[in-house]
């Protein structure tokens, strides 16, 4: 069991499969990209599967989310999913992706055992998408979303970040579109994850701003607190249901007390929090032929030291040194 000194138990594993990405989102990385990890530093497919197996069969993990960078860039992704789906007990498995390439891989991922996907899409306007991502791939994301829905990777969740002066007026249109297409929309407050450290707390679009905008067009009914559990998103039914919208207010309404996550970076480091400064090396233990029991012990020790909160609710918070693409969202 991955328990910390505050009594929280981590049952949700986030696995970054690569630090690489085929977009250059302004809130994540600079236009020229980043210094990518060298291939020998990345976990191999077999190493990833072994760590997931230890987490699921020994440490009590029940859910696995594959992230990046962009996980669809990982050549062995389908095989990794297939091997993890064969574990006993079988974990619930999902994928966070920008949607580019999902059209050609959705069916194979479903057949391999993937349960559902989260797709990042911040705008319905192709020209705004190009400005935000520095790539002209809006049509590919829409096609990927449709393919995921048709393949049964449901519920298909759409993650949206609103940026001042770019897409901050789109919240009602995005929700209307999501309802029409059967996607579950989740707005995420912009977090200090950009490598260029351009995030400013006083300029971000808050959960309160988002809800006020949505309520100009929709009737929102809050979900019961008991239904939320450890989920990061607060959710509302839209116009009486059945459709829902979520808001992940990591900055203005931190949910650290209910956190049930443990994170594995693409180069084999355990992170107790997305914003943690400290990491614990599992890759070294793997490559020194440590037994499963020793790897589990190191992992448990890392999680025991998890801090009470992320620190995001502190106005003086400074961005972490590693960009999100190297950590996994």
């Amino acid at each position: 069991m991955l328990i910390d000194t505050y009594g929280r138990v981590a049952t949700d594993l986030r696995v970054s499969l690569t630090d690489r990405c085929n977009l250059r989102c302004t809130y994540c990385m600079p236009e020229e990209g980043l210094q990518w990890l060298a291939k020998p530093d990345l976990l191999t497919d077999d190493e990833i599967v072994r760590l997931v197996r230890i987490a699921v069969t020994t440490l009590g993990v029940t859910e696995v989310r594959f992230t990046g960078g962009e996980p669809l860039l990982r050549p062995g992704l389908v095989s990794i999913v297939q091997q993890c789906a064969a574990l006993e007990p079988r974990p619930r498995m999902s994928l966070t992706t920008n949607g580019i390439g999902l059209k050609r891989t959705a069916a194979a991922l479903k057949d391999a055992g993937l349960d559902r996907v989260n797709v990042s899409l911040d705008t319905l306007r192709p020209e705004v998408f190009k400005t935000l991502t520095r790539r002209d791939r809006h049509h590919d994301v829409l096609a990927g979303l449709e393919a995921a829905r048709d393949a049964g990777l449901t519920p298909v969740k759409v993650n949206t970040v609103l940026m001042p002066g770019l897409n901050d007026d789109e919240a009602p249109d995005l929700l209307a579109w999501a309802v029409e297409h059967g996607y579950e929309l989740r707005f995420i407050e912009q977090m200090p994850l950009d490598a260029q450290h351009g995030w400013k707390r006083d300029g971000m679009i808050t959960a309160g701003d988002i809800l006020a905008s949505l309520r100009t067009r929709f009737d929102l009914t809050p979900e019961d607190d008991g239904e939320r559990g450890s989920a990061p998103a607060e959710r509302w039914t839209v116009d009486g249901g059945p459709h829902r919208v979520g808001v992940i207010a990591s900055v203005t309404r931190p949910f650290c007390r209910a956190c049930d996550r443990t994170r594995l970076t693409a180069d084999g480091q355990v992170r107790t929090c997305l914003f943690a400064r400290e990491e614990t090396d599992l890759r070294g233990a793997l490559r020194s032929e440590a037994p499963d029991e020793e790897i589990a012990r190191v992992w448990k020790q890392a999680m025991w030291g998890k801090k009470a909160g992320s620190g995001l609710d502190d106005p003086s918070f400074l961005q972490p040194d590693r960009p999100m693409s190297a950590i996994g969202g």
Side-chain angles (χ1 to χ4, degrees):
M1 181 181 294
L2 295 172
I3 190 170
D4 64 32
T5 56
Y6 298 93
R8 296 169 297 192
V9 178
T11 58
D12 186 337
L13 170 61
R14 304 298 169 101
V15 183
S16 175
L17 298 180
T18 178
D19 59 329
R20 296 175 183 266
C21 189
N22 42 14
L23 296 180
R24 296 291 181 270
C25 297
T26 56
Y27 52 78
C28 183
M29 68 173 72
E31 186 171 4
E32 64 274 15
L34 299 166
Q35 183 66 45
W36 307 123
L37 292 167
K39 188 173 181 179
D41 293 335
L42 293 170
L43 293 177
T44 66
D45 292 0
D46 288 344
E47 288 171 338
I48 290 170
V49 172
R50 183 183 176 194
L51 288 175
V52 172
R53 176 176 57 77
I54 292 170
V56 170
T57 62
T58 304
L59 298 174
V61 164
T62 58
E63 296 191 30
V64 177
R65 173 85 61 87
F66 297 108
T67 70
E70 173 45 52
L72 293 180
L73 296 179
R74 179 88 186 199
L77 173 60
V78 172
S79 176
I80 290 171
V81 171
Q82 188 172 40
Q83 291 180 73
C84 292
L87 294 173
E88 292 290 343
R90 182 195 185 282
R92 288 275 302 171
M93 290 185 296
S94 58
L95 179 82
T96 295
T97 172
N98 61 30
I100 297 174
L102 193 54
K103 180 178 180 180
R104 68 175 182 271
T105 55
L109 287 168
K110 178 64 177 179
D111 290 344
L114 193 71
D115 294 300
R116 64 171 192 84
V117 293
N118 285 30
V119 179
S120 299
L121 180 65
D122 300 323
T123 178
L124 299 176
R125 305 168 186 163
E127 69 279 6
V128 176
F129 182 92
K130 189 174 181 180
T131 298
L132 279 168
T133 67
R134 306 185 179 105
R135 298 290 186 270
D136 187 13
R137 306 296 298 272
H138 189 259
H139 58 289
D140 292 317
V141 180
L142 295 182
L145 279 161
E146 292 179 10
R149 183 189 60 202
D150 294 345
L153 293 170
T154 54
V156 176
K157 296 184 180 181
V158 177
N159 293 342
T160 296
V161 177
L162 297 181
M163 304 282 287
L166 286 173
N167 62 341
D168 53 335
D169 61 337
E170 286 196 67
D173 289 341
L174 281 159
L175 181 52
W177 166 82
V179 167
E180 177 185 356
H181 290 85
Y183 306 138
E184 184 175 323
L185 183 62
R186 305 195 313 172
F187 292 96
I188 304 175
E189 288 183 338
Q190 185 193 1
M191 294 177 282
L193 295 168
D194 56 321
Q196 60 270 39
H197 291 186
W199 180 82
K200 291 181 174 59
R201 184 186 180 93
D202 58 1
M204 60 174 284
I205 307 300
T206 68
D209 297 331
I210 294 165
L211 292 170
S213 179
L214 293 176
R215 284 181 170 128
T216 64
R217 195 183 305 180
F218 300 96
D219 179 35
L220 302 181
T221 304
E223 186 179 67
D224 291 339
D225 289 342
E227 294 184 54
R228 181 181 181 185
S230 59
E234 296 178 78
R235 299 199 301 180
W236 289 260
T237 56
V238 180
D239 292 339
H243 300 287
R244 294 178 176 180
V245 63
V247 178
I248 299 177
S250 301
V251 179
T252 62
R253 304 177 188 176
F255 41 85
C256 300
R257 283 183 295 178
C259 181
D260 65 347
R261 297 179 184 179
T262 182
R263 298 177 180 273
L264 185 64
T265 68
D267 53 350
Q269 310 300 305
V270 170
R271 279 204 164 214
T272 59
C273 173
L274 186 60
F275 303 98
R277 301 301 183 94
E278 303 83 16
E279 296 178 335
T280 301
D281 181 30
L282 293 185
R283 186 188 62 198
L286 284 170
R287 295 181 180 177
S288 64
E289 301 183 355
D292 288 358
E293 294 78 11
E294 174 61 15
I295 292 171
R297 184 195 67 77
V298 173
W299 203 333
K300 286 192 286 187
Q301 186 176 26
M303 293 305 296
W304 182 253
K306 183 172 182 173
K307 295 181 179 179
S310 66
L312 276 174
D313 51 347
D314 182 351
S316 64
F317 179 84
L318 297 175
Q319 296 96 326
D321 296 328
R322 290 183 88 183
M324 181 167 63
S325 62
I327 299 168

